[in-house]
């Protein structure tokens, strides 16, 4: 089968190529999916550049892509709740990365039925950003009705999903974006959209219950300037907090170094009696099914910026790397014609 693969750490042009790869064979608790659509995420470019080497070393050639929507073509002996012909979607586990390919094996516990009202292209854009938003806002921040939440970068893959998810929980949603995106981000349901080109959100906000920091850098520490006492700051791009480094099972020395790095953040959190957590999302089929239901019930709608053909996958990654995506960037495979 044909697959896009990383041949070494580097850039999109020099380190990615289409190769002929062995067909994956599903283990006892796995499913083989024929890929109809995949989506790309910033993590794909980060892994390619070698930014995450300290956490996980790649062996080459390595697959590209973590989101998939497609059709089940085979199931392992231990799989009881999916069968051949099912239309499914998933964020595959790190051991299965490589959805920009004709076929992919996935652990059954990471898979959910595709919402029937969505195309494969729409569904492929949901898993990674949906699970990240769910695990950050619902699981860790415990978002509830009436909470005031700031979601940075409302026009991104994460932001455009997180705004809708937070609204579905009855939160008051504030988001930041650039001038050109203000109108359509507002239409996603945000109560207040701050144009970061013209306004400083720190001048406008105070006493937020939750800040969802998608940007990292100085934005993580700055969150404590607008959070209320006892509030919750959840980051997906900031420094790792001690609890998360422990959960990740990182070694003692690296945990010590990371603790030093996050010292300022933990101090700022303590001064506000606030929570600080850095979330590393995990594949989870059950949560994905819950998210799928929100799409099925039209409480959330997919936001797709651009769709590329399989052969244009490198262009898709380059477009995403520019950092200006408005919603999700999708890779569409050719579906077999129905008789
Ligand atoms: N920890 C985890 O498990 C996890 C999971 C998923 C993602 N992430 C991380 O989360 C980040 C966001 O992911 P994504 O998929 O949403 O990325 P993305 O789709 O590439 O985000 C692009 C968007 O960011 C906006 N943006 C850039 N700078 C901004 C600023 N200063 N203020 C407001 N908006 C700004 C851009 O809007 P404008 O053009 O209007 O500026 C654009 O719409 C990435 O760094 C990713 O690596 C982490």
């Amino acid at each position: 089968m044909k697959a896009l693969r990383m041949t070494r750490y580097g850039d999109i042009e020099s380190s990615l190529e289409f190769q002929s790869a062995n067909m994956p064979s599903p283990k006892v608790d796995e499913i083989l999916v024929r890929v109809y659509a995949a989506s790309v995420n910033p993590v794909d470019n980060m892994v390619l550049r070698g930014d995450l080497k300290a956490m996980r070393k790649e062996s080459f050639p390595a697959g590209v892509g973590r989101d998939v929507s497609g059709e089940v073509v085979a199931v392992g002996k231990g799989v009881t709740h999916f069968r051949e012909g099912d239309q499914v979607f998933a964020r595959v586990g790190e051991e299965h990365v490589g959805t920009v390919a004709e076929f992919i094996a996935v652990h059954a516990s990471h898979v959910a039925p595709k919402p029937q009202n969505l195309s494969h292209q729409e569904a492929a854009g949901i898993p990674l950003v949906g699970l990240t938003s769910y695990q950050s806002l619902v699981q860790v921040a415990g978002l509830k009705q009436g909470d005031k939440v700031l979601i940075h970068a409302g026009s991104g893959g994460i932001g455009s999903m997180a705004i809708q998810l937070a609204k579905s929980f009855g939160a008051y949603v504030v988001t930041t974006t650039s001038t050109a995106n203000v109108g359509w981000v507002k239409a996603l349901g945000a109560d207040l959209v701050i144009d970061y080109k013209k306004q400083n959100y720190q001048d406008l906000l105070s006493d937020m219950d939750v800040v969802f920091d998608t940007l990292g850098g100085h934005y993580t520490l700055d969150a404590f300037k607008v959070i209320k006492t006892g509030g919750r700051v959840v980051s997906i791009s900031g420094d790792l907090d001690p609890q998360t480094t422990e959960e990740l099972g990182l070694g003692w020395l690296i945990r010590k170094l990371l603790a030093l790095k996050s010292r300022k953040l933990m101090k700022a959190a303590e001064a506000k009696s606030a929570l600080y957590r850095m979330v590393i999302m995990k594949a989870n089929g059950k949560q994905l099914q819950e998210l799928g239901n929100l799409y099925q019930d039209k409480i959330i709608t997919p936001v797709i910026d651009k769709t590329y053909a399989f052969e244009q996958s490198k262009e898709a990654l380059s477009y995403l790397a520019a950092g200006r995506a408005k919603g999700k960037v999708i890779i569409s495979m050719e579906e077999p014609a129905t008789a």
Side-chain angles (χ1 to χ4, degrees):
M1 66 151 191
K2 198 170 158 190
L4 183 70
R5 304 180 99 188
M6 285 170 56
T7 52
R8 56 186 164 150
Y9 291 117
D11 60 30
I12 292 168
E13 266 327 300
S14 64
S15 305
L16 286 180
E17 57 185 55
F18 286 100
Q19 293 184 344
S20 171
N22 289 335
M23 184 78 145
S25 77
K27 295 192 188 124
V28 64
D29 46 9
E30 291 178 356
I31 288 172
L32 182 66
V33 175
R34 181 182 175 127
V35 180
Y36 289 154
S39 83
V40 287
N41 291 281
V43 66
D44 300 317
N45 283 317
M46 289 162 81
V47 171
L48 179 64
R49 288 193 303 261
D51 295 355
L52 305 179
K53 258 190 248 178
M55 291 229 273
R56 190 189 153 92
K57 278 211 167 61
E58 296 300 319
S59 49
F60 300 106
V64 177
R66 287 150 174 82
D67 280 333
V68 61
S69 184
E71 181 171 333
V72 176
V73 290
V75 296
K77 283 200 182 87
V79 176
T80 52
H81 52 300
F82 289 103
R83 57 177 179 207
E84 248 180 76
D86 284 351
Q87 308 296 305
V88 296
F89 70 147
R91 190 289 193 198
V92 303
E94 283 302 310
E95 68 283 14
H96 286 126
V97 170
T99 57
V100 185
E102 290 174 314
F103 295 89
I104 186 82
V106 195
H107 198 284
S109 67
H110 297 160
V111 178
K114 176 181 79 65
Q116 284 169 7
N117 57 332
L118 299 189
S119 66
H120 284 289
Q121 288 73 21
E122 289 170 324
I126 297 169
L128 193 145
V129 294
L131 290 168
T132 306
S133 303
Y134 185 91
Q135 289 165 13
S136 301
L137 291 172
V138 182
Q139 226 176 294
V140 176
L143 194 72
K144 54 186 190 311
Q145 177 139 20
D147 273 349
K148 284 194 297 173
V149 57
L150 167 62
I151 297 171
H152 276 297
S155 49
I158 294 277
S160 55
M161 199 283 156
I163 290 171
Q164 300 185 71
L165 183 68
K167 283 309 296 176
S168 79
F169 276 79
Y172 178 87
V173 177
V174 182
T175 193
T176 54
T177 193
S178 65
T179 316
N181 294 327
V182 169
W184 75 267
V185 166
K186 179 105 184 122
L188 289 176
D191 297 285
L192 176 64
V193 182
I194 299 173
D195 177 350
Y196 74 84
K197 298 270 187 195
K198 296 181 179 160
Q199 296 166 298
N200 181 348
Y201 73 95
Q202 291 179 42
D203 297 337
L204 304 172
L205 303 177
S206 59
D207 283 331
M208 302 303 292
D209 294 285
V210 176
V211 175
F212 184 26
D213 164 42
T214 59
L215 293 169
H218 65 85
Y219 288 92
T220 318
L221 193 57
D222 288 346
F224 294 96
K225 297 179 183 160
V226 299
I227 200 84
K228 74 172 190 187
T229 301
R232 292 93 81 199
V233 174
V234 183
S235 179
I236 52 171
S237 299
D239 288 331
L240 286 165
D241 62 282
Q243 189 176 329
T244 303
T245 55
E246 198 170 328
E247 284 170 10
L248 287 172
L250 298 176
W252 174 85
L253 186 61
I254 185 137
R255 269 170 41 205
K256 201 88 189 145
L257 290 169
L258 290 167
L260 276 174
K261 210 162 166 263
S262 65
R263 212 170 37 177
K264 264 193 188 167
L265 287 172
M266 300 316 291
K267 268 193 170 169
E270 202 183 320
K272 281 271 180 111
S273 307
L275 173 87
Y276 172 69
R277 289 296 304 279
M278 160 71 187
V279 168
I280 306 277
M281 67 82 54
K282 296 185 187 76
N284 185 320
K286 273 202 182 120
Q287 289 177 350
L288 187 57
Q289 183 156 2
E290 281 178 43
L291 284 163
N293 292 341
L294 294 174
Y295 285 87
Q296 188 80 45
D297 297 342
K298 301 199 171 107
I299 292 166
I300 301 186
T301 53
V303 182
I304 294 180
D305 182 352
K306 279 180 189 275
T307 303
Y308 292 83
F310 182 34
E311 296 70 25
Q312 300 172 309
S313 301
K314 288 191 194 185
E315 283 99 310
L317 285 159
S318 297
Y319 178 71
L320 186 72
R324 301 271 80 88
K326 300 189 277 276
K328 289 296 301 176
V329 178
I330 307 295
I331 293 171
S332 183
M333 316 288 286
E334 212 166 294
E335 292 179 36
T338 42

